[in-house]
Amino acid sequence: MKKIKMTKPIVEMDGDEMTRILWKMIKDELILPYVSLKTKYFDLGLKNRDKTNDQVTIDAAFATKKYKVAVKCATITPNNDRMGEYGLKSLWKSPNGTIRSILDGTVFRTPIIVKGIDPVVTSWKKPITIARHAYGDLYKDSEIRVSGPGTVTMTFAPRESNECKTLKIFEFDDCGVVLGQYNTDESIRKFAKSCFEYALDMKMDLWFSAKDTISKIYDHKFKDIFNEEYEINYKKAFEENRLTYFYTLIDDAVSRVMKSEGGFIWALKNYDGDVMSDMVSSGFGSLAMMTSVLVSPDGCYEYEAAHGTVQRHYYKHLKGEKTSTNPVATIFAWSNALRKRGEMDENQELIRFSNCLEEATLSTIEEGEMTGDLCRITSIKKPKLLNSEEFILAIKKRLENRIEEL
Ligand code: NAP
Ligand code: MG
């Protein structure tokens, strides 16, 4: 068979631990035999981040800006334990945080749906994609422990004048707590744009929810900016594609989501998105079946699995044990990145290959061959438990059949 050619490269970001092991297996068995793969490779493994003083992460992010499509392996965000384990020079920041701030993007998380892994919510038939605004709010707040009676106020001091604006927050008669949080119009607008762009790209409806009835200035601003962007820049395209955008109160959104059949994007503020994405991923079955993509407002796409480096499995692997770590979300990160490259370059063969790779992966599970995490939750009778390598080879067998039919 002739290998599929690529005109432009994708950015490849290697990572850590068990996912780094899976990364190589996926490339060697499922991609390199079929595609003349062109990548700009960056080793984001913790050792190399330390060696380059994390410059490699910054370079990878700028390469993503240049080439528009990237695929990333899970990486360790170091804490004090990791500092000792790897003898690090510094507690490097989360690579995902660094890349996100350079691309200024929004993260969309989508469950992979497959027959035999049934959502807990029985009405859910199609994926629900969560878009979380990952800037400001509770995650950049300032908090004070009030130690006794006294007054708490909030002041805005304009840079250009002396006309301060002060608001009394609360008159304390005894101990308590206070927090202040902020967001910027610019960040909210970029979030809104990323959501509208991605909805059009995926041909999915967009919901946005907040609590504007209670938070009449803060949350209301989010609602207004989304509405403005929609009316001015996206309404026409949405109508042409028969898509809908609507805003609703978060309480209402939650109850609608539980009764829906899925198949839409749900945009949420930072804290709501943090919580709801865990609810939705548990509801769909497994974190190992969740993909994630960072989309920038200017149309760059960085795909990855939503899970981490699966450290516990890696230590078993180091002891020489075979592990049954699920590679599906990482396979889908690759197939999504290759498909996006194919769409941008009008490379039909590459698009077809990406589809085949996904179909082969899903049919392997549907035919009862799967990793341990899925065996525990599947409705398929007597599933066959495979280790990671066996599972990837089972996918490869089906992939070869499909490619022959192409
Ligand atoms: P994790 O790697 O997501 O794993 C947590 C647990 O979830 C695992 O121990 C495993 O459960 C299960 N699991 C996750 N992915 C799985 C898969 N593909 N197949 C089978 N089981 C899977 O989270 P963590 O252990 O909290 O974090 C490990 C490292 O990953 C940390 O250093 C963290 O910084 C990093 N991390 C990176 C990213 C990223 O790069 N995007 C995201 C999150 C975390 P059992 O052990 O019960 O089998
Ligand atoms: Mg969370």
Side-chain angles (χ1 to χ4, degrees):
M1 190 207 125
K2 266 206 347 266
K3 286 196 197 182
I4 296 163
K5 290 203 172 59
M6 292 174 66
T7 38
K8 288 187 189 153
I10 59 174
V11 173
E12 174 185 354
M13 305 182 202
D14 210 340
D16 288 301
E17 298 194 314
M18 203 57 216
T19 40
R20 189 180 179 100
I21 309 288
L22 296 177
W23 194 258
K24 185 168 178 339
M25 284 186 203
I26 292 167
K27 275 178 71 182
D28 287 349
E29 299 297 342
L30 300 178
I31 297 169
L32 291 172
Y34 315 105
V35 180
S36 289
L37 188 65
K38 272 194 188 171
T39 72
K40 296 284 166 192
Y41 179 87
F42 295 87
D43 183 1
L44 267 57
L46 187 50
K47 274 187 208 146
N48 195 45
R49 274 183 276 146
D50 194 53
K51 191 173 142 202
T52 63
N53 296 327
D54 210 21
Q55 186 60 37
V56 67
T57 309
I58 295 164
D59 292 346
F62 280 100
T64 305
K65 264 184 175 298
K66 178 169 177 195
Y67 295 103
K68 301 277 184 203
V69 185
V71 58
K72 180 181 168 291
C73 179
T75 45
I76 294 169
T77 297
N79 53 19
N80 287 327
D81 291 347
R82 301 299 200 162
M83 189 110 176
E85 185 182 349
Y86 285 81
L88 302 177
K89 290 185 240 170
S90 165
L91 269 186
W92 306 110
K93 283 194 212 145
S94 145
N96 288 44
T98 303
I99 297 165
R100 194 162 58 219
S101 69
I102 291 172
L103 293 181
D104 215 346
T106 297
V107 174
F108 297 84
R109 275 176 154 212
T110 307
I112 298 160
I113 304 234
V114 55
K115 277 194 218 101
I117 311 295
D118 305 321
V120 181
V121 180
T122 49
S123 65
W124 290 355
K125 307 279 181 247
K126 293 184 241 166
I128 296 168
T129 296
I130 300 275
R132 171 180 171 192
H133 181 216
Y135 180 82
D137 294 0
L138 192 61
Y139 303 81
K140 292 278 178 199
D141 75 344
S142 307
E143 307 190 354
I144 300 174
R145 167 76 178 133
V146 174
S147 53
T151 310
V152 177
T153 61
M154 181 161 77
T155 303
F156 168 61
R159 206 174 284 160
E160 313 284 315
S161 82
N162 295 323
E163 285 166 37
C164 290
K165 197 169 163 185
T166 295
L167 196 73
K168 185 164 111 183
I169 304 288
F170 195 65
E171 179 86 49
F172 283 89
D173 293 327
D174 205 340
C175 301
V177 283
V178 194
L179 77 80
Q181 61 181 45
Y182 69 91
N183 224 299
T184 67
D185 285 12
E186 188 194 9
S187 174
I188 300 167
R189 195 170 299 282
K190 284 187 171 159
F191 172 52
K193 279 184 182 297
S194 296
C195 292
F196 287 117
E197 292 286 341
Y198 192 64
L200 285 171
D201 187 38
M202 300 303 291
K203 304 277 181 287
M204 293 211 274
D205 290 342
L206 177 65
W207 303 15
F208 175 55
S209 60
K211 193 77 179 176
D212 67 299
T213 47
I214 300 295
S215 173
K216 290 188 172 64
I217 294 177
Y218 200 108
D219 278 23
H220 212 287
K221 192 72 212 168
F222 279 76
K223 174 181 173 181
D224 289 346
I225 289 177
F226 265 77
N227 280 345
E228 272 165 39
E229 280 300 322
Y230 179 67
E231 291 296 331
I232 297 167
N233 296 318
Y234 294 100
K235 191 172 179 181
K236 197 161 161 275
F238 265 59
E239 284 173 357
E240 279 165 12
N241 285 282
R242 294 166 180 268
L243 297 174
T244 49
Y245 161 69
F246 71 91
Y247 170 84
T248 185
L249 264 186
I250 181 140
D251 326 40
D252 178 52
V254 167
S255 62
R256 283 187 194 219
V257 162
M258 294 317 239
K259 286 177 247 161
S260 78
E261 62 165 38
F264 53 87
I265 298 169
W266 184 14
L268 293 145
K269 288 177 60 207
N270 209 348
Y271 173 79
D272 299 340
D274 184 354
V275 177
M276 288 303 156
S277 65
D278 285 342
M279 196 268 293
V280 168
S281 69
S282 320
F284 274 103
S286 163
L287 186 58
M289 296 291 280
M290 201 61 150
T291 59
S292 163
V293 56
L294 173 70
V295 181
S296 72
D298 59 344
C300 300
Y301 294 77
E302 183 244 306
Y303 295 92
E304 64 177 310
H307 60 77
T309 60
V310 214
Q311 182 181 14
R312 200 181 66 81
H313 294 212
Y314 181 59
Y315 290 153
K316 281 185 159 182
H317 168 85
L318 288 182
K319 282 193 230 147
E321 285 175 47
K322 296 267 184 204
T323 73
S324 184
T325 318
N326 186 339
V328 171
T330 307
I331 294 172
F332 272 63
W334 274 98
S335 61
N336 279 318
L338 292 174
R339 183 186 300 105
K340 181 52 79 183
R341 181 81 278 163
E343 286 168 7
M344 285 184 179
D345 302 349
E346 293 181 19
N347 183 341
Q348 295 305 325
E349 277 192 308
L350 196 57
I351 296 174
R352 279 201 295 273
F353 171 78
S354 310
N355 295 340
C356 284
L357 177 55
E358 290 179 2
E359 286 160 19
T361 304
L362 298 180
S363 64
T364 305
I365 299 169
E366 285 169 6
E367 288 162 26
E369 300 185 46
M370 59 192 83
T371 46
D373 57 315
L374 298 182
C375 277
R376 284 196 290 275
I377 57 172
T378 185
S379 59
I380 294 173
K381 300 271 177 300
K382 296 197 184 141
K384 190 168 163 199
L385 193 160
L386 304 180
N387 65 42
S388 301
E389 200 178 350
E390 290 165 343
F391 181 62
I392 287 172
L393 292 175
I395 296 171
K396 185 185 174 80
K397 205 173 70 194
R398 289 168 177 86
L399 178 62
E400 301 231 310
N401 291 339
R402 262 158 223 276
I403 284 179
E404 265 170 31
E405 286 164 19
L406 272 187

